[in-house]
Amino acid sequence: MIAAFFDIDGTIYRNALLIEHFKKLVKYELFADSQYRLKVEEAYNLWDTRKGDYDAYLLDLIKLYIVAIKGLPTKYNDFISDQVLQLKGNRVYTYTRQMIEWHKEMGHKVFFISGSPSFLVSRMAKKMGVDDFCGSEYEINEKTQTFSGNILKPMWDSVHKREAIEEFIKKYNIDLSESYAYGDTNGDFSMLSLVGNPRAINPSKELITRIKNDEILKDKAEIIIERKNVIYKLNSAVELIEF
């Protein structure tokens, strides 16, 4: 069976589902301590003004998010999560949307593997009609029906994404040599390394550098850049300009 593994944030979705969810938490004032809002805004401004790297920004944001979501009632979270997908769910890249449809037409299995919370990833997977998904699992206190603040399974790093693919291989008998992977950050490196057809989508500088220095990926990875209504296909020989 041929499969296509897609990261979501920055690969399909033109931002991050977690960020959109965090914005809603701020909007509805669903965490008590205002310091988190200030820290999130500071982290975002570093990236927005190009004074920080994207991978580091996302990791900093995740750390804040884990603390901020502690104690959030699941009933409020369901409402916010539905709002994120209803209002922002169509904000996707043309290229990856088209590739998802192409893989379906070809009879390939399509999977989402994302560092965003599974309660958001599941909604995106349902919306786009894919076969299966894996997102970060946040523990829920069954007694209070609130988030405990613990992570049962993180999915934003390369190690856990590799483990997710290994589980999909067992479940669906996948031929990785014929399969595809799409990602944009260092956290997606293992996905790209495992398949015969790796594609880096609007990759971060850190991911491009790693691809260029990898003996296997540098020869077979495609780099796809989508800007405005134009899609560019490059190879790992693309030159990085330092400022």
Side-chain angles (χ1 to χ4, degrees):
M1 174 63 67
I2 297 175
F5 304 99
F6 286 84
D7 170 58
I8 293 178
D9 302 327
T11 301
I12 298 172
Y13 187 68
R14 288 167 27 221
N15 197 341
L17 293 178
L18 181 147
I19 292 174
E20 299 294 353
H21 191 263
F22 212 152
K23 287 178 179 178
K24 289 288 187 293
L25 291 178
V26 172
K27 177 180 178 180
Y28 293 111
E29 298 181 349
L30 287 174
F31 48 83
D33 197 332
S34 62
Q35 68 173 309
Y36 294 118
R37 177 172 185 167
L38 295 175
K39 289 181 179 179
V40 171
E41 289 176 349
E42 180 182 359
Y44 177 77
N45 286 334
L46 285 175
W47 163 246
D48 195 40
T49 57
R50 300 302 189 265
K51 295 179 181 178
D53 69 67
Y54 187 69
D55 286 14
Y57 159 62
L58 284 180
L59 289 175
D60 286 345
L61 186 65
I62 287 168
K63 292 176 184 177
L64 293 171
Y65 181 84
I66 292 170
V67 177
I69 202 172
K70 182 177 181 179
L72 176 69
T74 55
K75 62 180 180 180
Y76 295 152
N77 182 62
D78 289 339
F79 168 75
I80 292 173
S81 300
D82 289 340
Q83 285 279 298
V84 169
L85 268 295
Q86 181 180 343
L87 299 176
K88 301 290 186 176
N90 292 323
R91 194 167 180 259
V92 300
Y93 286 110
T94 299
Y95 176 79
T96 39
R97 183 182 65 236
Q98 291 177 343
M99 292 312 303
I100 289 170
E101 293 307 313
W102 179 79
H103 285 298
K104 290 180 183 178
E105 291 170 4
M106 296 298 292
H108 302 164
K109 292 288 185 183
V110 180
F111 305 105
F112 286 172
I113 304 178
S114 173
S116 276
S118 58
F119 52 77
L120 296 174
V121 177
S122 63
R123 286 168 166 82
M124 194 66 166
K126 181 178 180 180
K127 178 180 179 63
M128 302 196 78
V130 304
D131 294 286
D132 212 336
F133 68 91
C134 188
S136 298
E137 296 286 347
Y138 287 71
E139 184 182 56
I140 294 174
N141 184 318
E142 296 297 334
K143 183 176 181 180
T144 61
Q145 285 299 296
T146 60
F147 286 93
S148 70
N150 296 324
I151 305 296
L152 300 177
K153 182 174 65 174
M155 199 52 60
W156 49 77
D157 62 87
S158 199
V159 172
H160 287 92
K161 289 197 174 187
R162 177 185 288 271
E163 292 175 357
I165 288 181
E166 290 172 351
E167 289 298 317
F168 285 137
I169 292 172
K170 295 176 185 177
K171 187 174 180 180
Y172 295 98
N173 191 28
I174 295 166
D175 180 1
L176 287 181
S177 67
E178 297 293 326
S179 293
Y180 298 74
Y182 302 80
D184 71 313
T185 68
N186 264 335
D188 303 313
F189 184 79
S190 62
M191 293 203 309
L192 300 177
S193 300
L194 288 171
V195 300
N197 301 285
R199 294 176 178 175
I201 311 300
N202 298 321
S204 65
K205 174 184 173 182
E206 294 74 28
L207 179 58
I208 290 181
T209 300
R210 198 167 179 186
I211 288 173
K212 287 169 69 70
N213 292 331
D214 187 87
E215 288 301 317
I216 297 175
L217 280 182
K218 70 178 183 180
D219 293 325
K220 69 176 182 178
E222 292 183 0
I223 297 173
I224 308 296
I225 307 294
E226 181 174 331
R227 289 293 181 269
K228 297 183 172 66
N229 60 345
V230 180
I231 298 169
Y232 306 86
K233 182 182 292 187
L234 310 171
N235 59 38
S236 61
V238 62
E239 182 180 356
L240 296 178
I241 299 174
E242 299 289 345
F243 292 95

